[in-house]
Amino acid sequence: MPARPRGSTRRREGEHVYPSKPEPATVYEGRLFHRGRLVEAEMGVDDDGKIVAVAKQLRGGRRIHLGESILLPSSIDLHVHFRDPGPPGEVEDLASGTVQAALGGIGAVVDMPNTIPPLTTVERLEEKGDRIASRAWVDVLPYAALIPGVDVPGLARVAAGFKLFMGPTTGDLVTPADEERRALLESVARTGLPVHVHAEDAALFGHGHPPQDTDTWDQARPMSSELSAIRSLRDHPRSLRLHICHATSPEAVVAAREIGASTEATPHHLLLAASQFGNTQQKVNPPLRPERVRQALWEEFQKGRVPMLASDHAPHALARKSLPFPDAPSGLPGVEVMLPLLLEQVRRGSLELATLVQVSARRPALFLGVPRGSLAPGNEADFLVVDFRARRKIEARSLHAPCGWTPYEGREAVFPQEHYLRGERIVEGGEFVPGRRARRLLPRPPGT
Ligand code: DOR
Ligand code: ZN
Ligand code: ZN
């Protein structure tokens, strides 16, 4: 007979008594990442897709043995461009983007507003919500563009945050002048929502010969322009949750910290370097940096000194990427391979698993204020089954990006074998399976 729940009064004849903790529907047993390390334990998940318990031993439930595999929280990608809405024939949409996210171990994405048309009005954000509801296979946090004239309080009810472009890049979103920017940041600070910044100062761009490779692209949009943009935000409102996207150097990470902002590093700035052979597939804003800078950023990342990881997944059609270097668009796909590339670094012993989980799951969840990012009771049951023996070479033809190319061709990676979103399996044996539990995530509007 189960113990009576605490505080219950005398029981009438025939009345059912529930144990104080319901038994989980499913129990996963094996090596789980819990409180900063791998432990032999059991994790119970209920039918609503919540983690109900993690302990040495749990009672009941359908039992799943992990064998040689380990259980990790799903990642959260703070930065993708899923190009939805977009014109007919656009290279990505919410369906194709979220399939890649699912396969890459990402259970939630922050989706950027430089779409066609750009997400600058309440109406467009509402429509974006409908698109997410009908197409997305993982959770999506839609962001609004922070440009002069936007209705910040209105957008705060339908967007999960704001994106500020301080330099010219895909989408031609207007960069507000200094005074306008100050006013916009003040009004976002009042909403409590975050602002993510593309930090490049066009006043410091080079005007030499047209760039022909990733070396000269780096010189055209130098590190000094990134540092200048970050530092120009130093007088931001103190209550603002400010986040600097794609830091390309240790100095950029430090500059962000000094102004009280968080930062992310991308897999391309961590793993690829500028070179005189670098072609348009590696053309990105801000640019890849010289090998010594890449190495220095990687070392900071290894030491856990870069707060977060994000893909900046920004695919473009191969036809457009095949234009001469100066005319080709900037951006590269990364959402499917980001975590697998870094799991391979863990397998090789060049990155601590704890560091990777921290930057890809735990901190992004805390930053966004969503109940996930760790295998803890009360959190959504978003998790991955990873087997380090199941590694394979990345090939564009076996990835799921409609753009059909990858700058990581031939690199080793460890793809998750299984991915669960709210307890429902969306990747099985490394293959995508459609689920029903993806959502638009909006932080609770202020005052509710
Ligand atoms: O390289 C980039 N591509 N940088 C950006 O800021 C935007 C992105 C895109 O949307 O293509
Ligand atoms: Zn950017
Ligand atoms: Zn971006």
Side-chain angles (χ1 to χ4, degrees):
M1 163 96 51
R4 270 195 204 194
R6 261 211 301 207
S8 67
T9 49
R10 216 176 311 132
R11 187 158 65 95
R12 270 173 286 149
E13 202 56 41
E15 191 185 8
H16 192 76
V17 175
Y18 294 95
S20 52
K21 276 191 186 157
E23 283 186 355
T26 312
V27 173
Y28 299 83
E29 45 183 51
R31 284 185 303 154
L32 328 176
F33 192 87
H34 187 57
R35 298 204 176 129
R37 62 199 176 93
L38 283 177
V39 291
E40 284 286 342
E42 300 187 352
M43 180 176 87
V45 173
D46 70 10
D47 280 330
D48 298 330
K50 282 244 182 305
I51 300 173
V52 287
V54 178
K56 271 265 161 265
Q57 270 193 329
L58 294 173
R59 278 192 306 169
R62 189 169 65 96
R63 306 194 78 84
I64 297 181
H65 299 269
L66 296 170
E68 288 297 305
S69 300
I70 60 169
L71 217 65
L72 301 178
S74 308
S75 291
I76 296 169
D77 192 341
L78 285 168
H79 190 160
V80 302
H81 300 263
F82 281 168
R83 315 266 188 238
D84 201 338
E90 181 56 286
V91 75
E92 193 82 274
D93 64 17
L94 280 160
S96 61
T98 51
V99 165
Q100 294 164 70
L103 288 162
I106 288 156
V109 297
V110 168
D111 195 11
M112 292 302 168
N114 59 333
T115 48
I116 304 172
L119 300 182
T120 49
T121 66
V122 171
E123 202 187 356
R124 287 183 189 161
L125 259 301
E126 277 168 349
E127 204 252 338
K128 174 96 180 184
D130 297 339
R131 285 169 183 268
I132 295 168
S134 64
R135 295 186 185 176
W137 299 113
V138 302
D139 289 359
V140 178
L141 293 97
Y143 270 36
L146 195 59
I147 59 168
V150 291
D151 169 11
V152 169
L155 288 168
R157 286 192 290 276
V158 283
F162 291 86
K163 177 73 182 272
L164 171 67
F165 287 94
M166 289 177 75
T169 190
T170 310
D172 299 327
L173 279 166
V174 180
T175 298
D178 292 359
E179 267 317 301
E180 283 169 330
R181 188 183 71 220
R182 239 184 291 278
L184 286 166
L185 294 182
E186 294 275 350
S187 68
V188 179
R190 286 192 287 275
T191 70
L193 292 184
V195 174
H196 292 209
V197 183
H198 177 111
E200 285 187 290
D201 179 352
L204 297 186
F205 286 178
H207 297 287
H209 294 294
Q212 296 304 331
D213 51 46
T214 50
D215 241 354
T216 42
W217 190 237
D218 164 47
Q219 287 150 26
R221 301 173 74 122
M223 283 185 275
S224 55
S225 71
E226 184 183 12
L227 293 176
S228 162
I230 298 172
R231 289 177 183 144
S232 73
L233 294 166
R234 72 174 78 73
D235 58 353
H236 68 84
R238 286 301 112 188
S239 62
L240 181 66
R241 291 159 61 200
L242 189 63
H243 177 74
I244 304 296
C245 299
H246 39 50
T248 67
S249 66
E251 291 75 15
V253 175
V254 170
R257 192 186 310 139
E258 282 174 355
I259 65 160
S262 59
T263 21
E264 66 195 30
T266 67
H268 45 278
H269 292 114
L270 290 167
L271 300 172
L272 305 173
S275 96
Q276 53 183 335
F277 307 108
N279 63 22
T280 55
Q281 290 194 2
Q282 302 191 350
K283 183 182 181 192
V284 64
N285 298 333
L288 301 183
R289 302 306 187 193
E291 173 57 20
R292 74 184 155 73
V293 178
R294 182 207 67 79
Q295 179 68 32
L297 183 66
W298 173 252
E299 283 168 17
E300 289 299 288
F301 185 77
Q302 279 177 314
K303 290 177 191 149
R305 294 199 197 135
V306 178
M308 293 181 273
L309 176 71
S311 73
D312 195 5
H313 175 85
H316 293 279
L318 194 52
R320 298 197 56 229
K321 275 295 208 184
S322 306
L323 292 169
F325 199 96
D327 307 322
S330 292
L332 38 88
V335 72
E336 189 174 359
V337 295
M338 172 173 74
L339 187 70
L341 282 164
L342 290 164
L343 283 170
E344 168 62 10
Q345 297 295 323
V346 172
R347 193 198 63 78
R348 288 185 196 181
S350 28
L351 184 65
E352 296 275 354
L353 180 63
T355 306
L356 180 55
V357 173
Q358 185 83 341
V359 298
S360 66
R362 180 124 174 90
R363 285 213 191 103
L366 290 172
F367 176 76
L368 297 168
V370 291
R372 52 217 290 167
S374 58
L375 303 179
N379 276 356
E380 311 275 20
D382 296 353
F383 57 91
L384 310 173
V385 176
V386 171
D387 181 348
F388 282 104
R389 297 167 308 176
R391 78 187 216 274
R392 63 170 213 256
K393 277 198 168 43
I394 290 176
E395 292 174 312
R397 65 186 166 84
S398 46
L399 294 178
H400 298 75
C403 71
W405 57 274
T406 171
Y408 302 105
E409 189 76 32
R411 289 198 178 226
E412 300 277 359
V414 177
F415 287 84
Q417 290 300 297
E418 324 261 313
H419 186 172
Y420 291 77
L421 184 72
R422 296 192 180 84
E424 183 179 49
R425 189 151 52 178
I426 57 171
V427 171
E428 188 174 350
E431 301 289 336
F432 173 70
V433 285
R436 290 165 293 114
R437 289 190 164 172
R439 294 185 190 156
R440 171 178 67 159
L441 295 185
L442 296 178
R444 217 157 358 130
T448 60

